[in-house]
Amino acid sequence: MTSEKIQVRYFSGYIRNWKKLCTELGISCELDRKEREKAIVEKAYEKWEMAMMEHIYGMFAIALWDSEKKKLFCIRDQVGQKQMFYTVADGEFICSGDINEIVRDSRVQKKLNMRMLQQYLFYGYPIGSETFYENVYKLCPGHYAEWNGKTVTLKRYWKPVFEPDRTRSIDEFAEEIEKTVNEILSEEMGDKEFPHKESFLSGGVDSSYLFAASDAVCANTIGYEESGFDESELARHTAEVLGKGFRVKVITPEEYFERIGEVMDKMGQPLGDASAVAFSLGCKAVKEFTDVVYSGEGIDEFFGGYNAHKRVLEKDWVYLTCSHIMSEKVVKDLMKDYDDNLKANEPVMPFWRETEGQDDLSRKLTTDISLWLEGDIYLNTDRTSTACGIELHTPFSDLRLFNVARKIPAEYKFVGEQNKYVFRKGRLCRACQKVACR
């Protein structure tokens, strides 16, 4: 098979380890980024076929045509940092990272999916593989769709599996985390195509660690007029101690509510996450200064960062991700066409059954990585940043860091009331915590 028989028809994302792949695949590093990423995907598929996802680190949504097999492959990265949707209309397979592009096609019937509406009211985000449009589907993380001209076949090439290694100490894992973060960020910092990068900073440990360890020259945060909601001073203090620049975007109530319609339109589907509007305003503000921004998503889901991860489940209970908004009774009262056969736990059950026998934290993290992280967090960050012309880099979502997290026992992730304990044990991470406490 030659690369002339392989064609990238769609690519959205960022290949973090592109220099290593160019060397391994015989691709010139002097190519412009668009041509280089296209060449990497084509050559990687030529060499490894679908195993190429084991070699590509970063975020991606890809449509790849193999003329020899006469098949189109639609691929989404392991944890779903980039969106990918698809449908079949008039015998043609249509895919895009923007659901609005799909439904704008005149061949696609725009009909509300009542199943998703019912599940959305319960969870507050579009959960699972269905969307708000009937017969338009989301490609789930770690999956690819294979189109042979007649049928779509879905295949799962990766899943989050936690296998605790209790032969190693907390300090050993902390050192491995720091080593892995340094490896990931060295690739980011070695990418001279982005000479000016900035970072979003909340003042919390994740974003502070990322800001301190990266080549970001300035921090950006959101502030509010109401002092009870404003945490920007903590972020400002962190930036000052690190000797880096700082900006705050103060959001007024009027500005926030005026932005909601535009945010939901660009999102493509409803999202009941209030942070999406603030994040959009933050992206709009930072766009004036840079095109590439770091953000710290991924740590909470990999290492256990939410209070819901600590709660003990009652016997025979099912963990319904870290965010569920309404009870089934309330949803039933609200919906005229409520479907009694559609249970709230339906999207969760495959992951819950699959992890039976594992510790509760591993089961919860598997569920959140598979559903909540991509269905809420990445939907928000990907669509809002893209709409503002920002390329958002999330180094902590790199698969190599998950491969460390998956080996860490639950008792190392929560110690007393401290969450993400082993992540916080790293030297630089401890230093960031000291900065925040000064």
Side-chain angles (χ1 to χ4, degrees):
M1 182 180 288
T2 63
S3 58
E4 285 75 21
K5 295 181 181 179
I6 306 162
Q7 181 185 13
V8 174
R9 294 190 174 177
Y10 180 92
F11 180 87
S12 174
Y14 173 63
I15 299 174
R16 186 169 290 113
N17 62 328
W18 64 268
K19 287 185 178 180
K20 180 180 179 181
L21 288 172
C22 282
T23 300
E24 190 169 357
L25 298 170
I27 298 167
S28 171
C29 290
E30 302 305 315
L31 290 174
D32 68 61
R33 179 180 170 185
K34 184 176 180 180
E35 288 301 312
R36 182 184 72 229
E37 289 174 334
K38 177 175 178 289
I40 287 174
V41 173
E42 291 174 349
K43 289 287 188 180
Y45 176 79
E46 180 183 0
K47 183 171 183 176
W48 298 302
E49 293 197 347
M50 282 301 138
M52 70 179 181
M53 280 80 80
E54 299 172 12
H55 301 266
I56 297 175
Y57 295 116
M59 54 185 182
F60 52 84
I62 303 168
L64 181 72
W65 170 250
D66 183 333
S67 63
E68 187 172 274
K69 294 182 178 180
K70 293 187 171 21
K71 289 182 178 180
L72 181 74
F73 296 96
C74 182
I75 311 159
R76 190 175 180 200
D77 69 67
Q78 290 89 342
V79 293
Q81 297 166 81
K82 300 300 291 184
Q83 302 293 302
M84 180 59 92
F85 304 93
Y86 68 92
T87 190
V88 176
D90 284 350
E92 184 175 342
F93 183 84
I94 305 169
C95 65
S96 175
D98 184 352
I99 196 171
N100 289 334
E101 286 190 11
I102 293 177
V103 298
R104 275 196 293 264
D105 192 305
S106 60
R107 296 167 296 178
V108 178
Q109 184 181 15
K110 303 170 187 63
K111 185 178 180 181
L112 177 64
N113 180 1
M114 296 299 293
R115 284 174 50 86
M116 177 50 68
L117 175 60
Q118 186 167 319
Q119 293 287 31
Y120 172 80
L121 289 174
F122 185 79
Y123 285 95
Y125 61 94
I127 188 170
S129 61
E130 295 190 42
T131 72
F132 273 84
Y133 298 95
E134 281 195 5
N135 301 316
V136 177
Y137 299 96
K138 176 174 61 181
L139 185 64
C140 291
H143 283 71
Y144 67 87
E146 185 178 300
W147 168 250
N148 63 9
K150 295 181 180 179
T151 58
V152 178
T153 303
L154 295 176
K155 297 187 178 181
R156 187 180 186 185
Y157 71 86
W158 181 88
K159 59 183 178 180
V161 177
F162 288 87
E163 296 178 324
D165 178 3
R166 291 182 169 82
T167 66
R168 301 168 64 188
S169 69
I170 289 179
D171 288 337
E172 286 174 326
F173 275 119
E175 288 178 9
E176 187 176 0
I177 290 168
E178 189 163 335
K179 179 182 177 182
T180 304
V181 169
N182 288 339
E183 177 187 356
I184 293 166
L185 289 178
S186 69
E187 293 173 347
E188 291 273 2
M189 292 185 281
D191 196 338
K192 301 307 180 185
E193 292 182 346
F194 308 118
H196 181 88
K197 284 180 275 191
E198 300 195 2
S199 189
F200 286 121
L201 177 64
S202 67
V205 64
D206 303 347
S207 61
S208 296
Y209 184 6
L210 179 57
F211 184 46
S214 74
D215 54 341
V217 298
C218 185
N220 296 265
T221 194
I222 295 296
Y224 300 93
E225 292 181 334
E226 296 84 353
S227 59
F229 295 96
D230 185 50
E231 298 179 347
S232 61
E233 282 307 306
L234 180 58
R236 183 190 301 276
H237 175 66
T238 301
E240 287 174 351
V241 172
L242 294 172
K244 295 189 178 187
F246 177 79
R247 292 189 210 94
V248 59
K249 166 61 180 175
V250 177
I251 300 176
T252 65
E254 294 76 17
E255 191 176 21
Y256 182 94
F257 287 105
E258 285 175 4
R259 189 73 173 178
I260 292 175
E262 182 177 352
V263 171
M264 289 301 107
D265 177 62
K266 298 298 184 182
M267 200 77 65
Q269 298 189 88
L271 178 63
D273 188 337
S275 69
V277 179
F279 188 73
S280 176
L281 290 166
C283 287
K284 180 183 178 182
V286 78
K287 175 62 179 174
E288 297 180 26
F289 304 97
T290 187
D291 295 325
V292 180
V293 186
Y294 290 123
S295 191
E297 281 75 24
I299 292 296
D300 288 321
E301 291 77 14
F302 290 0
F303 291 90
Y306 301 125
N307 288 332
H309 293 155
K310 293 188 283 190
R311 297 189 190 110
V312 177
L313 291 176
E314 298 290 338
K315 186 179 179 181
D316 299 326
W317 277 29
V318 176
Y319 176 71
L320 300 178
T321 79
C322 66
S323 174
H324 49 275
I325 308 300
M326 300 180 185
S327 68
E328 287 183 304
K329 180 183 182 304
V330 172
V331 174
K332 189 171 185 177
D333 290 341
L334 287 173
M335 286 190 68
K336 179 180 178 182
D337 299 314
Y338 183 86
D339 182 356
D340 286 298
N341 295 316
L342 178 60
K343 302 302 180 184
N345 65 9
E346 183 178 300
V348 171
M349 288 310 297
F351 304 100
W352 202 245
R353 294 191 186 104
E354 190 174 72
T355 57
E356 188 173 357
Q358 297 182 25
D359 62 82
D360 278 356
L361 180 59
S362 294
R363 302 185 79 185
K364 290 176 179 180
L365 297 182
T366 297
T367 303
D368 277 339
I369 291 170
S370 303
L371 295 170
W372 151 263
L373 181 59
E374 69 87 18
D376 184 310
I377 302 298
Y378 291 142
L379 172 62
N380 172 3
T381 57
D382 179 42
R383 297 313 307 152
T384 52
S385 60
T386 300
C388 293
I390 289 292
E391 180 168 303
L392 195 74
H393 286 199
T394 53
F396 288 162
S397 297
D398 193 288
L399 190 61
R400 287 167 288 189
L401 194 54
F402 171 78
N403 286 335
V404 179
R406 65 184 290 269
K407 293 290 187 180
I408 300 173
E411 58 268 27
Y412 293 178
K413 293 177 179 176
F414 282 104
V415 176
E417 292 301 311
Q418 185 76 274
N419 58 11
K420 297 177 289 190
Y421 182 81
V422 66
F423 177 75
R424 296 172 185 266
K425 284 281 287 182
R427 287 170 295 177
L428 183 55
C429 200
R430 290 201 306 270
C432 289
Q433 292 177 84
K434 289 179 181 178
V435 166
C437 292
R438 287 183 187 176

